[in-house]
């Protein structure tokens, strides 16, 4: 089991960081929610109190009359409702004339500070009721509602009434205290939950890490079991498994390659060694020496061919071999190569013919395309017995050209056909001196590097046909869609 603490401080582990982010986010959210809720609460209380004061102010006006000694409260003392309402209004009130001279006020109002005449005049002039909050000497807040009161005879007065806000304040204070006192506990709980959830979410990551740790060069077939949850971690596991499959495949190829290389080098080396031993211990005449040395030289030549081919193949496969692309006349190039192969073909008793419509331009690496055609032509001649035929054709299509090399040679059995493009693969019955088994690997690589592909059809004892599709740069014939030559019949 890989634990965070093993490789690094646990505070740097993903689990800790995930849980911490969760806690921080939750804490900020809670604080913001608390502040918001407090604002909403105090806003609601404020508007509630304003409407209560509005109502009371309206009721108070109904109980005020102007008598000989100025305004006075008139109500039925026996009516409990009336006397309750008036007593309540009378607790916090103030009456003044339009000049701002105080006429009456309750004791509590005096403790809040009576309104100065200038303020009274300003409120009366505005024509709008005023709402203010003031505190008494002990700090209790009061909401004051004041405005113009006109009696039945049209006399104008300034009337202010108020109500203590201490209850609302207490509710808001209590809410704030309790809410914020709960936050640390909620944060601790959410931290534990975050830690647990992050641990569960990261479990598959740990399995990947464990699996990765188990991998050595000898068990590259390690696969992590799928969870089938369809989430991101499943995709990660899938990608990991794919990567391992590819790695395994590459390692397998490298292993196979080294085995093949050592095998390929061992045989000619043994031969060269044998020949040198002959020269050293048994040759007596100059002629015998020369013969042994010539054989050894041939072996060395074969060895250096292998090494050169291997080097190029490894450069090609590792991407170091960069194609030098240029526009070239493919028809001309194939024609030249066919001409060059006429003599070896004649030597083998093979009839070499070509069907090459002119004007096919290709953007490609001249040297590599020459190598591709030469390999196919060389093989066709090599594996066709005397009396047989080899034919090379170019078949133009709209956006590509097909190069066909077909022969009436020994053919390749179905069993071997899928492998002939593999490195060092030779049909077991093939004469070991005939080749290295690398030519077709090159052909396949060159076709692929040019954006094309190579296919093979073959029938034992009847013949083989290789077709190479190459994207063509430009076909300078009048109608590229129409094939310039009829497509040759298939071998099978
Ligand atoms: P080699 O250097 O041995 O020819 P290649 O990679 O060119 O290696 O070919 C691989 C094998 O495919 C050959 O050993 C041979 O058996 C078979 N092969 C290739 N071309 C032909 C052909 N035209 N006819 C029959 N067999 C062929």
């Amino acid at each position: 089991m890989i634990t965070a603490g093993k490789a690094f401080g646990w505070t740097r582990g993903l689990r800790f960081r995930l849980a911490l982010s969760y806690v921080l986010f939750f804490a900020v959210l809670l604080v913001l929610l608390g502040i918001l809720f407090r604002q909403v609460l105090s806003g609601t209380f404020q508007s509630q109190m304003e409407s209560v004061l509005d109502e009371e102010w309206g009721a108070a006006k109904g109980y005020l009359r102007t008598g000989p000694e100025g305004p006075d409260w008139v109500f039925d003392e026996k009516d409990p409702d009336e006397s309750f309402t008036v007593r309540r209004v009378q607790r916090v009130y103030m009456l003044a004339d339009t000049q701002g001279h105080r006429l009456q006020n309750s004791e509590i109002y005096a403790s809040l500070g009576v309104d100065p005449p200038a303020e009274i005049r300003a409120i009366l002039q505005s024509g709008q009721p005023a709402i203010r909050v003031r505190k008494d000497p002990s700090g209790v807040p009061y909401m004051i509602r004041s405005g113009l009161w006109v009696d039945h005879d049209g006399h104008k007065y300034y009337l202010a009434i108020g109500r203590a806000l201490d209850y609302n304040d207490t509710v808001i204070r209590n809410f704030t205290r309790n809410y914020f006192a709960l936050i640390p506990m909620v944060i601790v709980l959410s931290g534990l939950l975050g830690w647990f959830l992050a641990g569960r979410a990261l479990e598959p990551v740990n399995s990947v890490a464990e699996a990765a740790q188990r991998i050595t060069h000898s068990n590259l077939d390690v696969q992590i079991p799928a969870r089938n949850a369809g989430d991101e971690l499943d995709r990660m596991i899938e990608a990991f498994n794919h990567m391992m499959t590819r790695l395994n495949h590459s390692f397998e190829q490298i292993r196979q390659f080294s085995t093949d290389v050592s095998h390929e080098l061992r045989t000619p080396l043994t031969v060269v060694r044998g020949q040198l031993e002959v020269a050293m211990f048994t040759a007596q005449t100059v002629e015998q020496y020369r013969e042994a040395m010539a054989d050894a030289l041939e072996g060395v030549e074969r060895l250096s061919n292998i090494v050169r081919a291997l080097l190029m193949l490894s450069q090609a496969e590792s991407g170091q071999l960069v194609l030098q692309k240029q526009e070239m006349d493919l028809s001309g190039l194939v024609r030249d190569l066919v001409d060059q192969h006429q003599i070896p073909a004649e030597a083998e008793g093979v009839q070499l013919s070509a069907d090459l419509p002119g004007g096919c331009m290709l953007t490609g690496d001249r040297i590599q395309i020459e190598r591709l055609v030469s390999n196919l032509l060389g093989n066709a001649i090599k594996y066709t017995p005397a009396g047989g035929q080899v034919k090379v054709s170019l078949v133009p299509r709209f956006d590509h050209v097909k190069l066909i090399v077909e022969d009436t040679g020994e053919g390749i059995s179905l069993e071997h056909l899928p492998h002939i493009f593999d490195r060092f693969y030779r049909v077991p019955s093939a004469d070991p001196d005939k080749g290295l088994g690398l030519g077709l690997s090159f052909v396949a690589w060159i076709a692929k590097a040019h954006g094309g592909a190579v296919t093979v059809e073959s029938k034992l004892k009847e013949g083989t046909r290789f077709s190479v599709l190459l994207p063509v740069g430009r076909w300078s014939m009048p109608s590229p869609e129409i094939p310039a030559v009829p497509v040759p019949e298939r071998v099978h």
Side-chain angles (χ1 to χ4, degrees), residues 67-339:
E69 285 165 24
D72 201 5
W73 299 92
V74 180
F75 62 97
D76 181 358
E77 293 207 21
K78 286 189 199 115
D79 183 333
D81 281 349
E82 275 190 23
S83 52
F84 177 76
T85 308
V86 174
R87 298 266 175 264
R88 202 175 56 204
V89 173
Q90 279 179 334
R91 285 191 65 214
V92 188
Y93 87 103
M94 171 182 173
L95 258 173
D97 63 18
T98 48
Q99 290 313 303
H101 299 129
R102 176 161 48 116
L103 302 173
Q104 295 174 20
N105 67 271
S106 65
E107 240 175 74
I108 294 177
Y109 205 99
S111 72
L112 295 171
V114 289
D115 305 343
E119 192 180 316
I120 292 173
R121 283 199 298 275
I123 291 170
L124 292 179
Q125 264 165 23
S126 77
Q128 294 294 323
I131 301 268
R132 288 151 296 155
V133 175
R134 281 201 209 142
K135 284 187 177 164
D136 73 1
S138 59
V140 177
Y142 281 80
M143 185 179 271
I144 312 283
R145 196 247 189 240
S146 53
L148 178 69
W149 163 54
V150 187
D151 74 0
H152 294 298
D153 303 325
H155 296 115
K156 292 179 177 172
Y157 295 95
Y158 169 79
L159 170 64
I161 62 169
R163 267 218 178 192
L165 294 175
D166 54 347
Y167 170 74
N168 296 356
D169 257 25
T170 312
V171 171
I172 292 172
R173 240 196 333 270
N174 282 349
F175 161 77
T176 312
R177 199 184 43 235
N178 294 339
Y179 184 87
F180 285 93
L182 267 177
I183 283 184
M185 206 173 80
V186 176
I187 284 176
V188 169
L189 284 178
S190 71
L192 290 175
L193 185 69
W195 181 256
F196 169 74
L197 289 179
R200 271 195 56 174
L202 290 173
E203 229 167 69
V205 178
N206 282 334
S207 344
V208 175
E210 271 177 54
Q213 282 236 324
R214 282 204 309 274
I215 298 167
T216 64
H217 68 282
S218 56
N219 71 340
L220 280 169
D221 51 357
V222 170
Q223 294 272 305
I224 301 170
R227 295 155 62 243
N228 295 327
D231 57 8
E232 290 83 352
L233 287 166
D234 257 11
R235 280 210 293 285
M236 185 184 84
I237 290 173
E238 203 179 310
F240 179 86
N241 286 343
H242 276 155
M243 183 190 76
M244 287 312 298
T245 311
R246 285 197 303 271
L247 263 181
N248 197 12
H249 183 67
S250 303
F251 261 70
E252 204 42 60
Q253 274 189 330
I254 292 169
R255 224 174 276 149
Q256 187 60 42
F257 188 63
S258 348
T259 316
D260 290 345
V261 168
S262 29
H263 180 76
E264 289 304 315
L265 293 180
R266 206 180 50 210
T267 319
L269 265 177
T270 318
V271 172
V272 172
R273 188 195 166 130
Q275 279 144 358
L276 289 176
E277 277 172 0
V278 167
M280 191 89 173
F281 303 117
T282 54
Q284 275 152 16
T285 65
V286 173
E287 232 4 82
Q288 283 171 332
Y289 269 116
R290 186 163 293 157
E291 203 178 308
M293 290 314 239
D295 286 348
L297 213 64
E298 221 173 83
V300 170
E301 182 62 28
R302 188 176 157 76
L303 270 174
S304 61
N305 277 346
I306 297 179
V307 172
R308 204 176 311 124
L310 280 176
L311 200 68
M312 211 149 68
L313 201 65
S314 82
Q315 278 177 340
E317 292 191 349
S318 63
Q320 287 169 3
L321 199 72
V322 184
L323 294 184
Q324 309 289 328
K325 284 194 179 173
Q326 63 187 77
E327 186 149 272
M328 60 180 161
D329 175 8
L330 184 64
S331 314
L333 180 143
V334 177
R335 195 173 301 117
D336 289 350
L337 287 171
V338 170
D339 288 348

Side-chain angles (χ1 to χ4, degrees), residues 46-68:
Q46 169 107 7
S47 57
Q48 214 175 25
M49 188 53 87
E50 278 175 23
S51 57
V52 166
L53 271 178
D54 251 357
E55 259 176 47
E56 267 183 10
W57 203 79
K61 280 195 309 183
Y63 299 113
L64 276 169
R65 300 273 185 284
T66 310

Side-chain angles (χ1 to χ4, degrees), residues 337-350 352 381:
L337 287 171
V338 170
D339 288 348
Q340 284 171 28
H341 281 79
Q342 281 299 353
I343 295 174
E346 269 169 36
E348 297 283 335
V350 173
L352 175 59
I381 295 169

